[in-house]
Amino acid sequence: MFKKLLIANRGEIAMRVNRSAHELGIATVAIFSEADRASLHVRNADEAFCVGPGPVARSYLNIPNIISAALIAGADAIHPGYGFLAENARFAEICADHGLVFVGPAPETIAKMGDKASAKAIMAEAKVPTTPGTDVLGSVMDALAGAKRLGYPVMLKAAAGGGGKGMRAVRTPEALEHAFATAQAEAEANFKDGRLYMEKLIERPRHVEVQIVGDAYGNVVHIGERDCSVQKPSHQKLVEEAPASHLSDRARRKVHEIAIAAARTVKYKSAGTLEFLLSGDDVYFMEMNTRIQVEHPVSEMVYGVDLVKEQLRVAAGERLSLDQKHLVPRGHAIECRINAEEAANNFAPAAGTLVDVALPGGYGVRVDSHAYAGLAVPPFYDSLLAKIVTHGTTRLEAIDRMSAALRDTRIAGINTTIDICRAIMRDGRFREGGVAIDYLPNFNAAAAPATT
Ligand code: MV4
């Protein structure tokens, strides 16, 4: 096992990784920007290095400074967390060039899955069901022909993409030319790569993803699925759960089997997630994320597995300690993301200082957070302040436990998503379960019942 791990991240996920490393007896090295000197993730690590000023390009994305910190500290591995350098194939390669183990899959796997068109082609080749679609489109003419073959409505997507950038739904041939131009410009602006491809539009799908872990010896297990359909118009997730509700046994088994087959296809080594669109019992591969994800705790709560520990073990060359027949889900878990955002103003980021912080606790409640009273939230980073995760014997018990936990949660000094999460927990449609991706964009918090 590693002796010393550098954690190339900040906030709650840096603290999360730090805990599992300490549990395994690994010493930890934090990095921080000048804006994060007072951050809790710095205090909990055994050592810490400043890697540059607040803006991410100069600190958390500053590869020379991060590698230097790892070498000076004598670390033998780097955990990237999520975001920042977590899915940067070049960074994974540079780690290896300096004798540092990158805690994640091989650089080639990151690169192949990072290009969404290439990921889809690889999965289609392996008979993983994908959304009917086209190759990369050379022109609007190509797009018109593709749409005619697929039948409207269709969706234009950025090949380099992900996250919904450069994506446009197109319902008529008349709308295609304009959509093509704007999607291409958006893809070019975001990824310096304007290549587009097209898919048949799946109407009101659910976002269901499967957690998998693989080792270097060809063992792969799934840790069940999560439903992440409750997303903001910006495609950021707000509420996630495991298992997915209102899924037939057939569809559940199918999505697990497909995820295992997909992971085997790319000889996947590390923790990863396969994202699918579900429409009834139909399953379509969407993307593979080659990192530990924000919402991984709901799977941990239901399966009793520490995914970061597994990730560290397989990165150190150990065999998977899990086998599929012993991975049995128990009960239900819900996660609410508490972001520094103004929900009523299209989730605009909120800045300021936390003047009061009370986080919940008790039976079946897990809180992953770096927030404390007095913390100045810097303007440079993701707005996530806390993840509140509840477990229950049933889905409704987990939801009611979340409602009670959110009543105990107070963050003053800054706008947060606490109130909208409370309203969702009270909403009849959410409580029924099985909501699709149009749920949150159409949600009216004011219309939800006042209290429970
Ligand atoms: C789709 C789709 C419908 N049909 N593809 C959004 C983000 C990107 N990674 C894929 N996305 C979608 N792709 C086809 N062919 C609908 C979405 C989509 C979506 C997917 C998951 C979660 C939330 C979403 C919100 C809007 C659109």
Side-chain angles (χ1 to χ4, degrees), residues 96-275:
D97 289 347
H98 290 82
L100 298 158
V101 175
F102 175 82
V103 180
E108 308 79 68
T109 310
I110 299 175
K112 281 184 202 152
M113 295 299 108
D115 182 299
K116 302 308 162 190
S118 127
K120 191 181 170 191
I122 291 167
M123 293 307 173
E125 180 72 23
K127 300 277 185 287
V128 169
T130 56
T131 319
T134 67
D135 290 336
V136 170
L137 301 162
S139 63
V140 179
M141 290 296 286
D142 253 19
L144 282 163
K148 191 167 178 187
R149 177 172 66 80
L150 294 169
Y152 289 86
V154 295
M155 186 85 121
L156 287 168
K157 292 188 172 185
K165 297 213 173 79
M167 196 174 82
R168 291 284 184 290
V170 185
R171 294 184 180 276
T172 63
E174 292 69 41
L176 189 55
E177 190 168 348
H178 179 71
F180 191 89
T182 57
Q184 195 170 45
E186 200 173 301
E188 186 66 51
N190 280 283
F191 313 114
K192 299 189 185 69
D193 178 350
R195 288 175 307 135
L196 301 178
Y197 65 102
M198 183 184 283
E199 290 183 350
K200 178 92 190 146
L201 180 83
I202 312 297
E203 303 265 16
R204 296 188 64 246
R206 296 168 65 183
H207 173 125
V208 173
E209 57 185 35
V210 179
Q211 177 71 54
I212 59 106
V213 188
D215 67 16
Y217 309 93
N219 303 300
V220 181
V221 295
H222 74 77
I223 326 286
E225 81 288 354
R226 301 183 280 261
D227 188 309
C228 309
S229 297
V230 180
Q231 300 197 12
K232 297 182 255 176
S234 59
H235 304 290
Q236 283 157 322
K237 297 162 186 168
L238 184 66
V239 176
E240 304 99 336
E241 61 186 279
S245 68
H246 296 263
L247 201 59
S248 70
D249 288 347
R250 186 170 159 271
R252 201 183 308 276
R253 260 200 307 275
K254 187 156 92 180
V255 76
H256 294 167
E257 280 168 17
I258 291 169
I260 293 267
R264 285 196 193 285
T265 297
V266 294
K267 299 193 169 55
Y268 198 80
K269 166 187 88 59
S270 190
T273 299
L274 291 123
E275 294 189 343

Side-chain angles (χ1 to χ4, degrees), residues 164-433:
K165 297 213 173 79
M167 196 174 82
R168 291 284 184 290
V170 185
R171 294 184 180 276
T172 63
E174 292 69 41
L176 189 55
E177 190 168 348
H178 179 71
F180 191 89
T182 57
Q184 195 170 45
E186 200 173 301
E188 186 66 51
N190 280 283
F191 313 114
K192 299 189 185 69
D193 178 350
R195 288 175 307 135
L196 301 178
Y197 65 102
M198 183 184 283
E199 290 183 350
K200 178 92 190 146
L201 180 83
I202 312 297
E203 303 265 16
R204 296 188 64 246
R206 296 168 65 183
H207 173 125
V208 173
E209 57 185 35
V210 179
Q211 177 71 54
I212 59 106
V213 188
D215 67 16
Y217 309 93
N219 303 300
V220 181
V221 295
H222 74 77
I223 326 286
E225 81 288 354
R226 301 183 280 261
D227 188 309
C228 309
S229 297
V230 180
Q231 300 197 12
K232 297 182 255 176
S234 59
H235 304 290
Q236 283 157 322
K237 297 162 186 168
L238 184 66
V239 176
E240 304 99 336
E241 61 186 279
S245 68
H246 296 263
L247 201 59
S248 70
D249 288 347
R250 186 170 159 271
R252 201 183 308 276
R253 260 200 307 275
K254 187 156 92 180
V255 76
H256 294 167
E257 280 168 17
I258 291 169
I260 293 267
R264 285 196 193 285
T265 297
V266 294
K267 299 193 169 55
Y268 198 80
K269 166 187 88 59
S270 190
T273 299
L274 291 123
E275 294 189 343
F276 300 95
L277 291 178
L278 261 66
S279 175
D281 279 3
D282 293 334
V283 176
Y284 304 99
F285 168 81
M286 194 164 39
E287 298 180 7
M288 177 166 201
N289 299 321
T290 56
R291 60 175 188 274
I292 191 81
Q293 287 187 280
V294 176
E295 61 272 23
H296 76 277
V298 291
S299 304
E300 296 186 326
M301 297 282 269
V302 166
Y303 281 84
V305 170
D306 182 327
L307 289 167
V308 173
K309 260 163 76 174
E310 287 308 317
Q311 207 184 11
L312 288 166
R313 287 196 184 109
V314 299
E318 291 182 19
R319 278 176 186 279
L320 268 187
S321 75
L322 310 165
D323 73 287
Q324 197 68 64
K325 69 174 180 299
H326 292 118
L327 287 165
V328 182
R330 198 189 120 256
H332 205 98
I334 309 264
E335 170 175 284
C336 286
R337 296 194 191 185
I338 310 304
N339 299 326
E341 286 174 347
E342 212 179 326
N345 181 19
N346 207 15
F347 299 94
T353 296
L354 311 182
V355 296
D356 180 24
V357 175
L359 294 171
Y363 183 69
V365 180
R366 165 176 173 177
V367 181
D368 285 19
S369 176
H370 61 288
Y372 63 86
L375 175 70
V377 177
F380 308 111
Y381 315 115
D382 187 87
S383 61
L384 184 67
L385 293 174
K387 304 190 301 208
I388 301 177
V389 189
T390 57
H391 183 267
T393 305
T394 62
R395 183 170 184 273
L396 280 178
E397 188 181 43
I399 292 174
D400 290 335
R401 189 160 281 153
M402 181 63 77
S403 283
L406 290 171
R407 281 176 64 159
D408 290 351
T409 309
R410 266 178 304 283
I411 297 183
I414 205 163
N415 279 308
T416 73
T417 49
I418 296 172
D419 284 339
I420 192 168
C421 286
R422 284 180 185 143
I424 292 168
M425 295 305 119
R426 295 191 299 261
D427 178 47
R429 199 51 210 90
F430 178 76
R431 296 176 69 88
E432 230 170 80

